[in-house]
Amino acid sequence: MVTAHACAALVDVFPDLLRARRALVATPNTPAVATLATVHQRGSLRLTEVAEHLSLDLSTVSRQVAHLRRKGLLTACPDPDDGRSQRLSVTEAGVEELRAFRRACVDKLVEGLGDWRDDEVGDLTRLLGKLARTAAASPATATTEEVDQLQANA
């Protein structure tokens, strides 16, 4: 069973993990690519579904979607279940943009993690995947006060 001490150490690493991601694979269009990737991975989605999946405000995602549509990377068509809403889809140009972004990320990781072994990268990938699956299965119900209390007790 996991201990509070081990989880406190993990909480302390989260900000460093975000900084490491930015340092290793950041590109100017990372938020737009996250929006594009969400639609590509999950299929035709409503704007509200994209915002929910990314845990972002609807207005933020709306701006990203408008930008991606202007660039021809996303299209929108009427939702057959609700004529007031639209479903987003990735265009072929959008798929190519995602492929190019992924190639660039892989190249940056190969360069940045040059002294790592493949088994170390594999262990990290497996454990981060497990963390992501656990988080996806857990309801995000903690209030700010509960998080503050958890951190104070750690």
Side-chain angles (χ1 to χ4, degrees), residues 31-153:
V33 172
T35 301
L36 190 61
T38 297
V39 177
H40 184 256
Q41 292 165 353
R42 300 201 169 268
S44 177
L45 295 174
R46 293 179 183 174
L47 184 64
T48 54
E49 294 168 326
V50 176
E52 182 180 301
H53 178 74
L54 293 172
S55 299
L56 292 174
D57 185 77
L58 188 59
S59 64
T60 301
V61 175
S62 181
R63 284 191 300 276
Q64 289 296 331
V65 166
H67 169 73
L68 293 166
R69 288 183 68 190
R70 280 192 303 276
K71 288 182 68 175
L73 305 176
L74 276 181
T75 60
C77 61
D79 186 334
D81 298 327
D82 180 357
R84 300 168 295 167
S85 186
Q86 292 187 327
R87 291 244 170 224
L88 302 169
S89 299
V90 179
T91 65
E92 279 302 315
V95 171
E96 185 50 43
E97 183 87 6
L98 286 170
R99 286 183 185 133
F101 181 81
R102 187 172 193 282
R103 281 190 302 270
C105 287
V106 169
D107 290 346
K108 287 179 180 183
L109 284 170
V110 167
E111 180 182 327
L113 301 178
D115 60 341
W116 286 48
R117 296 184 322 266
D118 280 354
D119 65 311
E120 292 174 315
V121 175
D123 289 345
L124 179 62
T125 302
R126 180 182 55 77
L127 292 170
L128 287 174
K130 182 177 180 178
L131 178 64
R133 288 186 302 278
T134 300
S138 299
T141 57
T143 65
T144 303
E145 293 80 22
E146 290 169 330
V147 170
D148 290 342
Q149 184 62 39
L150 286 171
Q151 289 175 340
N153 291 336

Side-chain angles (χ1 to χ4, degrees), residues 13-26 109 113:
V13 171
F14 281 154
D16 295 332
L17 185 58
L18 293 173
R19 279 191 292 280
R21 181 187 181 279
R22 280 193 300 271
L24 290 169
V25 297
L109 284 170
L113 301 178

